[in-house]
Every structure is written in C-alpha cells, then in structure tokens.
C-alpha cells in the first residue's frame, strides 16, 4: 500500500459493520481512529525483538492493514518500554496501520509466572497508543480438568470490568476461554459478551491446532458463536495456518493472527493453501510467489540460514494473505462453502472436522443463509457439497403444505423442467389434481412448483449426478416435505409421456377432474412461492392471489402478477426463481405475519423516501429476517412505510449500530 491508513469518522471508533455476507461468513469493517480495517483479515505477529520482516514492509509491500505484537514483551524490555512510552507503539514498530497487542497470557501459559497486574498491562497498552488491547485472560488448556477450566473462565470474566475501566477509549479484546467444554465456552461467551469489549478472540485453541484436533476446534466455535454478540468481530487467537481459514470464516471468524509464517520458516517449512511442505522434499516449487521468483528449492536450500529463513517467511506471508483474499472473494461470490469443501480434502483431520460440521450445521447458520443463488452450483459425486444455502431452501420447503398424501416423483433429468416435463405436469393436474409432483434432484426432492429456483435449477456436473437418489434420502425428503405419504408413484424422464401417464393410472386409477388452465397452474406455483419466500400462511397467499392474472414473457413465463383489481403486486424473478414484491403487493401483505422491521421516528422520513434502513434506527423486528429475502417496514405506530430486502438476521438487527440493515426497494413517499 503506497497510501496511508484511513482513519474512521468521528463517532465510529470501535464500531463493526458487515458489508457482505453468506450465512455466518461476513465481510466487514472494523472502525478505528487509526484505520478502518477490512475483515476477514490476518494480523501477522511481530516480535518486537526479532523482526523477520519489517512492519513497514508488511504495510507497504504486502498490504497487511493490521498487525499484532506483544505488549508484555515490550513492557518487560526496558529500552523498548521507554521508547514505546515516549513515542508510541506505531513509531516503535514503524507501522502506520492498526496495531493490536496481546497481554502476556500466552507467555504465562508457555513459561508461567507473568508478573504484571491485570490493570497494569491494560494501562500500559493504552499509554503506548495501541488500537486494540487485550486483557490479561486466563488460558484454559485442553488437558485441564473441568473445574480448572471453569475457574479460568470465571476468573477471566471477573477481570473484565477493571480491564475495561483501564482501557478507557482504547478498544479491548475480551477472550473467550472454556477449554474443550462446550458448556464452559458458552458460559464464557455469555459472561464476556455482557461487558463492553470491542472484539472477542477465541482463546486457548493453540494446543488443539498444534495437534491438528480440528474437530474440537469446530465444536468450540459452534459452542460459543451464537453467544458472542453478533456486532463484535471474532478473532481466532493463534490461528495462522491457511488451510483453517475457510472453515473458520464460514463459521463467522473475522480476524486471524499468524506467527506460523515465521515459525515455520525457521524450520524450513513452507505454507501452502493445502497444507505444509518441507523445503527439503521439493524438487520444484508447486506454487509461485514473488518471494520464490528466480529460485529453485536447491538454490534456497543453499542460502545462508538467515537469508533462507527470511525468504521462506516472505513466501509464507504471501500464501497466508492470498488464502484470506480467496476467502473474502468467495464470500462475495457465494462460494465460501465450496472452498470449505475443497480444503477439507487436503487433510484428514480437517475432513473429519468438516464432516462433523455438515452433520451439526447450526439451525441459525442455515437461517442466516440466503437460500437463493445466482448462477450454477457445481457438484459431483466424489465432491458432495452440503452448502447451507441448500439446507436453507430445504428449511423453507418444510413449510410445504399439502392436503393429499399422493406423491408423483419424476427422476432422471436436469432442468429446465418446465420445458421437459411441463406438458406432463399439466396432464397430471387435469386428471389427478390432488397429487404432489416432485422432481428428484441431486440436492433432494423439489416440488415442481419451485422448478426454476436456483441453486436446484442450475446444478452443473457430470450426468452421473442425475442417476437417482438413494431410497433412504428420498423417503426422508418426502416425509419432511409432505408429512404423511399415502401413495408414491415413480415415473421417469426417460419414458415418454403416455407411458408415464399409464404408470400413474395403474396406481391412482383413471383420475377425474376439471380441465385446469395454464393460468390456474401458474397461480398454484406463485401461491407456493409466496408461502415459501414471504413466509406467510397458505390462506393469506391464496387470498392475495385470488382472481389474479399474469403478464407473460415471450417464453410463456410469468413476468408480472396482477391482483383481481388489476394492481401489479409482484414479479417472479427469472434470475434465481425468487419473488420481487411491488409497493402495492407489500402494502397488501402488511400485518399478515410477514417479517416486518420497525424503524424509529428519526428514520421514518428517510424510509418513506425509499432510503436504506441503517442499523441503529431499528426499534423492533417482528418475525425473523432471512438475509436476501423480502421484509416490510413500518413506523413505531404501525404505519406501513415500504419494503425491502433484509441484509441481516433479526438478532443482528437488534445489536448492530453501523451499516445497512435493509436494502429498501420502495418507500410509500412523503
Ligand atoms: N494467544 C494465543 N492464545 C491466546 C489466549 O488464549 N489468550 C491470549 N491473551 N493470547 C493468546
């Protein structure tokens, strides 16, 4: 970075905002008066006594916006201490970006006997001008008894108030301890979360990571994530191995620190996105970084110790930085879970941790995930993906309500199903109007009424992924979707239409029913989507659409939906199969149980004009908010103000004070 740091606006110091997200994974900005830090990010560890790579270079050449050093080391070394107190820590390190310091807890864990006071070390960090200080927490190790860990948790909580007093305006880290005990991690998160910390590191995990006990790391994050206030960044203390970044980011981690880049370099080990390799084992470099340019493994091996260590440290830094950049871009692209899946195949422990996570996917992570995806989702049988977006749609589909226990399953083909089996589905509706038509997809059964919903409609992969579901999965999906299933008929895309109708006739009889018009069929599809995507009851959806008429596209897809009085109320989206409300449609759903955000009086004139709802102006949330899905807006006296798309969950709306909460589509005007 050739430019200087970007200080935050007055009043924003200490605030954290989310700018983009996918489930719990988030891109954010942590506002400090030194610099607005873009997250997720990595803070290289600087040892103030041994600088393998100069902090100035970390900023200018590698673009690291923040670093972490140890205040206890500075405090203990008289010359460093004097200079830090006289000139400040930024001058001491010659670094313009954000500086976080640790407190000596880790030294206490490694060497024992840290003789500094709880308030003394925080006072010192404030005095030397640190941006984010750390309180003196008590390290809980994996081999401690539960009683010992509980003491560490309670002692840390009890030091919080005095530490925060000492910190004054300086942002303070409030570490979460609790060892490997899920209930103590929760207790720690609840206790620390009540105090006014700016950041919550998850501590006590270094010994687990050193022994690659990654499943336990995942268990720890899962135990505390929902108990840490959503508006505070989460730091993974001592987590610097790049192959752990994707899974941690997917679980909501915002900050990482790495001493690994320098420590591994000292042992001639090179970090790669897929793991660690020994320099001595290489004939060629399997990846290129600017540090390695012009070198071969042999030429690096022959360098003097110091020079070799520095070169490898630079390589390790570049790899670490680029893996985090990959994570950030994956959040923007909606592919963070794909990256989690890919990285899980590089290491047995990481695979175990990932499978554990898939099997224990938290409900609130799924609820925070936009079920709709633009573009295709790639999958294959040897790379199964369980992106929570799929689970998120599954969750919505669980509200699928059906009067009949009759199911017709169609297997063997990818979308667009309306082109391939639309005629067959129409014939089925004419003869067996109560039957539920479902399509077998590699991601599970999909009601035909949702046939154009992405990712289901846009799965890419070898044809083998369409070979049919395992009967167990199918039974499970059917029960989840329909409850009591009385009759199931299986038909196949490989058969012609007549054969399929004969198969159904053999099971359900001749069938009877009036001729159903295409409009009626389309209305049923829209009705289902209103239930799923707007989360309203079936009778409300039916009432809204009673007597509705449609404007069709050239390809005969519903473009606009008009209510019985002719008003345009909503439009299905071709892009992802979702629904866009119009202002009139939103007005008609106001008070129907649809998710609604209440804004305060200051914000009412802006919301009316259609300006986005900012965090800090929300007084209540009725129902849940699902990022990416529609919600309504009202004032405190219950007046309808407009509608938009939620960018946050209801829990986030209740605690964030910075950033956009609702992207407003329409306001009712002045
Ligand atoms: N560095 C690595 N782990 C920890 C921890 O648990 N607490 C503190 N303060 N620093 C750490």
């Amino acid at each position: 970075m050739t430019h200087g740091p970007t200080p935050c606006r007055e009043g924003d110091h200490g605030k954290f905002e989310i700018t983009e997200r996918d489930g719990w994974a988030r891109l954010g900005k942590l506002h400090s008066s030194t610099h607005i830090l873009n997250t997720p990010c990595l803070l290289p560890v600087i040892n103030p006594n041994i600088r393998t790579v100069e902090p100035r270079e970390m900023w200018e050449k590698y673009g690291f916006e923040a670093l972490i050093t140890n205040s206890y080391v500075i405090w203990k070394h008289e010359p460093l201490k004097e200079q830090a107190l006289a000139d400040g820590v930024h001058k001491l390190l010659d670094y313009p970006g954000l500086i976080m310091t640790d407190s000596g807890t880790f030294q206490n864990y490694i060497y024992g006997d840290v003789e500094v006071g709880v308030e003394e070390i925080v006072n010192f960090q404030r005095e030397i001008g640190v941006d984010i200080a750390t309180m003196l927490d008590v390290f809980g190790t994996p081999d401690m008894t539960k009683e010992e860990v509980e003491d560490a948790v309670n002692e840390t909580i009890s030091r919080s108030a005095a530490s925060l007093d000492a910190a004054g305006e300086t942002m303070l880290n409030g570490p979460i301890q609790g060892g490997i005990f899920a209930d103590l991690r929760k207790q720690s998160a609840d206790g620390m979360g009540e105090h006014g910390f700016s950041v919550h590191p998850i501590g006590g995990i270094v010994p687990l990571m050193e022994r690659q006990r990654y499943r336990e790391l995942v268990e720890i994050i899962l135990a505390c994530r929902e108990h840490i206030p959503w508006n505070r960044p989460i730091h993974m203390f001592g987590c610097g191995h790049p192959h752990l970044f994707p899974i941690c980011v997917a679980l909501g981690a915002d900050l990482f620190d790495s001493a690994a880049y320098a420590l591994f370099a000292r042992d001639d080990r090179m970090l790669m996105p897929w793991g660690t390799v020994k320099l001595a084992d290489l004939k060629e470099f399997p990846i290129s970084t600017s540090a390695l340019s012009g070198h071969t493994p042999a030429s690096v091996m022959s360098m003097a110790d110091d020079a070799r260590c520095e070169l490898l440290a630079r390589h390790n830094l570049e790899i670490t930085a680029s893996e985090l950049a990959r994570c950030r871009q994956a959040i923007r692209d909606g592919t963070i879970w794909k990256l989690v899946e890919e990285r899980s195949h590089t290491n047995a422990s990481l695979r175990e941790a990932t499978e554990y996570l898939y099997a224990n996917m938290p409900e609130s992570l799924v609820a925070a995930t936009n079920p709709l995806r633009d573009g295709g989702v790639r999958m294959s049988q040897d790379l199964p993906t369980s992106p929570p977006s799929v689970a998120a749609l599954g969750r919505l589909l669980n509200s699928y309500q059906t009067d009949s226990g009759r199911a017709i399953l169609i297997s063997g083909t990818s979308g667009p199903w309306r082109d391939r089996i639309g005629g067959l589905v129409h014939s089925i509706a004419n003869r067996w109007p109560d039957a539920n038509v479902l399509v077998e997809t590699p991601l599970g059964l999909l009601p035909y009424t949702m046939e154009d919903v992405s990712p289901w409609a846009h799965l890419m992969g070898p044809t083998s992924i369409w070979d049919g579901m395992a009967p167990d999965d199918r039974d499970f999906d059917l029960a989840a979707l329909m409850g009591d299933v009385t009759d199931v008929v299986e038909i196949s895309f490989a058969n012609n239409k007549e054969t399929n109708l004969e198969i159904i006739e053999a099971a359900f009889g001749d069938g009877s029913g009036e001729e159903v018009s295409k409009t009626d069929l389309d209305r049923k599809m829209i009705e289902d989507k209103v239930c799923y995507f707007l989360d309203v009851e079936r009778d409300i959806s039916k009432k809204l659409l009673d007597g509705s008429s449609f404007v069709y596209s050239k390809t005969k897809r519903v473009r606009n939906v008009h209510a019985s009085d002719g008003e345009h109320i909503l439009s299905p989206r071709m892009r992802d199969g979702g629904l866009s409300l119009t202002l009139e449609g939103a007005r008609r759903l106001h008070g129907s149980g649809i998710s609604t955000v209440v804004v305060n009086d200051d914000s009412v004139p802006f919301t009316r004009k259609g300006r986005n709802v900012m965090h800090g102006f929300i007084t209540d949330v009725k129902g849940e908010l699902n990022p990416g899905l529609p919600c309504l807006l009202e004032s405190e006296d219950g007046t309808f103000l407009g509608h938009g798309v939620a960018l946050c969950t209801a829990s986030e709306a209740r605690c964030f004070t910075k950033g956009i909460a609702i992207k407003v589509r329409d306001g009712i005007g002045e």
Side-chain angles (χ1 to χ4, degrees), residues 100-148:
M100 180 188 281
T101 42
D102 202 348
S103 55
T105 297
F106 198 64
Q107 278 68 20
N108 201 35
Y109 156 65
I110 302 275
Y111 311 109
D113 265 9
V114 163
E115 72 282 4
V116 70
V118 169
E119 282 140 294
E120 190 179 11
I121 195 64
V122 177
N123 276 327
F124 178 65
Q125 294 173 80
R126 178 177 44 72
E127 281 163 11
I128 65 175
V130 163
D131 296 298
I132 306 176
T134 303
M135 66 171 285
L136 196 65
D137 50 322
V138 183
F139 199 100
T141 67
D143 47 15
M144 280 180 176
T145 65
K146 192 159 184 187
E147 287 67 36
E148 288 169 329

Side-chain angles (χ1 to χ4, degrees), residues 278-356:
K278 290 199 187 100
L279 174 63
D281 291 342
L282 296 179
K283 265 262 170 263
E284 295 178 60
F285 289 125
I287 199 164
S288 55
T289 55
S290 70
L292 299 179
S293 165
H295 287 282
T296 62
S299 75
V300 176
M301 276 303 255
S302 66
M303 290 168 81
D305 284 356
D306 280 358
R308 188 174 71 250
C309 178
E310 188 185 321
L311 183 143
L312 294 179
R314 287 170 188 279
H315 162 84
N316 289 345
L317 267 180
E318 286 184 56
I319 291 294
T320 312
S322 63
E323 184 67 358
L324 262 178
R326 208 170 279 129
C327 288
R328 289 191 297 268
Q329 189 56 37
I331 296 175
R332 295 183 190 101
D333 294 343
T335 56
I336 187 70
W337 287 98
K338 184 165 162 271
L339 196 56
V340 169
E341 174 67 24
E342 279 169 17
R343 292 295 178 252
S344 77
H345 291 277
T346 62
N347 176 290
S349 308
L350 189 55
R351 182 66 204 168
E352 189 190 326
T354 308
E355 286 180 1
Y356 175 84

Side-chain angles (χ1 to χ4, degrees), residues 511-531:
S512 66
E514 292 165 30
E515 190 82 2
V516 181
S517 68
K518 169 142 170 46
T519 310
D520 287 341
L521 265 186
D522 288 335
R523 188 175 297 110
K524 172 80 178 71
M525 294 179 82
I526 307 285
E527 223 179 64
D528 276 3
K529 286 192 177 179
V530 167
C531 291

Side-chain angles (χ1 to χ4, degrees), residues 257-452:
D257 66 80
S258 175
Y261 77 96
L263 296 177
F264 282 40
R266 265 176 238 162
D267 297 340
D268 287 335
R269 282 187 295 165
M270 301 176 72
L271 293 175
M272 299 290 172
W274 57 86
T276 312
V277 297
K278 290 199 187 100
L279 174 63
D281 291 342
L282 296 179
K283 265 262 170 263
E284 295 178 60
F285 289 125
I287 199 164
S288 55
T289 55
S290 70
L292 299 179
S293 165
H295 287 282
T296 62
S299 75
V300 176
M301 276 303 255
S302 66
M303 290 168 81
D305 284 356
D306 280 358
R308 188 174 71 250
C309 178
E310 188 185 321
L311 183 143
L312 294 179
R314 287 170 188 279
H315 162 84
N316 289 345
L317 267 180
E318 286 184 56
I319 291 294
T320 312
S322 63
E323 184 67 358
L324 262 178
R326 208 170 279 129
C327 288
R328 289 191 297 268
Q329 189 56 37
I331 296 175
R332 295 183 190 101
D333 294 343
T335 56
I336 187 70
W337 287 98
K338 184 165 162 271
L339 196 56
V340 169
E341 174 67 24
E342 279 169 17
R343 292 295 178 252
S344 77
H345 291 277
T346 62
N347 176 290
S349 308
L350 189 55
R351 182 66 204 168
E352 189 190 326
T354 308
E355 286 180 1
Y356 175 84
L357 172 57
Y358 289 163
N360 293 279
M361 193 64 81
E363 177 57 27
S364 91
L365 191 161
V366 175
T369 303
N370 184 354
L372 298 171
R373 304 275 129 169
D374 279 356
V377 169
R378 232 171 299 160
M379 68 180 297
S380 64
Q381 273 166 346
D382 56 353
L383 196 73
T385 46
S386 343
S389 71
V390 174
L393 188 64
R395 192 181 65 97
L396 290 177
L397 291 176
N398 280 345
S399 64
Y400 185 72
Q401 296 162 1
T402 156
D403 304 328
S404 134
R406 281 181 167 181
I408 298 174
L409 311 187
I410 307 183
S411 65
T413 176
S414 61
W417 291 292
R418 60 186 166 277
D419 295 344
R420 302 192 167 171
I421 49 175
L424 173 64
V425 171
H426 200 153
S427 301
I428 292 171
N430 284 336
R431 294 180 60 185
W432 302 281
D434 64 337
N436 297 289
V437 180
L438 300 130
V439 185
E440 274 191 15
T441 83
L443 299 178
L445 289 178
L446 183 71
Y448 178 79
T449 50
M450 307 288 276
E451 63 85 25
D452 63 346

Side-chain angles (χ1 to χ4, degrees), residues 566-601:
E567 288 282 350
H568 177 197
I569 49 174
L570 45 93
S571 300
R573 278 197 304 270
M574 311 275 167
R575 175 165 52 87
D576 57 13
L579 288 180
S580 295
L581 279 170
T582 65
L583 184 62
E584 187 51 34
R587 195 196 310 274
R588 289 176 190 205
L589 285 170
H590 184 223
S592 67
I594 183 171
S595 305
T596 302
V597 169
V598 184
V599 302
N600 72 14
D601 291 347

Side-chain angles (χ1 to χ4, degrees), residues 456-526:
W456 310 62
H458 292 122
L459 290 176
M460 300 181 295
T463 48
S464 58
I465 66 173
W466 295 96
D467 282 352
M469 302 173 71
D472 283 355
D473 291 347
R474 224 176 39 198
D475 291 349
F476 178 80
D477 277 10
L478 263 182
L481 282 166
M482 294 178 43
D484 283 340
V485 184
T486 52
D487 307 282
V488 183
V489 177
E490 294 176 44
I491 56 176
S492 166
F493 173 71
N495 301 332
N496 64 32
K497 185 175 160 185
E498 274 59 45
T499 310
N500 278 328
L501 288 173
E502 280 163 24
I503 296 172
I504 302 169
E505 199 174 280
F508 292 171
D510 270 355
S512 66
E514 292 165 30
E515 190 82 2
V516 181
S517 68
K518 169 142 170 46
T519 310
D520 287 341
L521 265 186
D522 288 335
R523 188 175 297 110
K524 172 80 178 71
M525 294 179 82
I526 307 285

Side-chain angles (χ1 to χ4, degrees), residues 13 32-34 90 97-100 129-133 170-172:
H13 178 74
S32 100
S33 45
T34 295
H90 289 85
L98 187 147
I99 297 181
M100 180 188 281
V130 163
D131 296 298
I132 306 176
T170 302
M171 285 193 253
L172 194 63

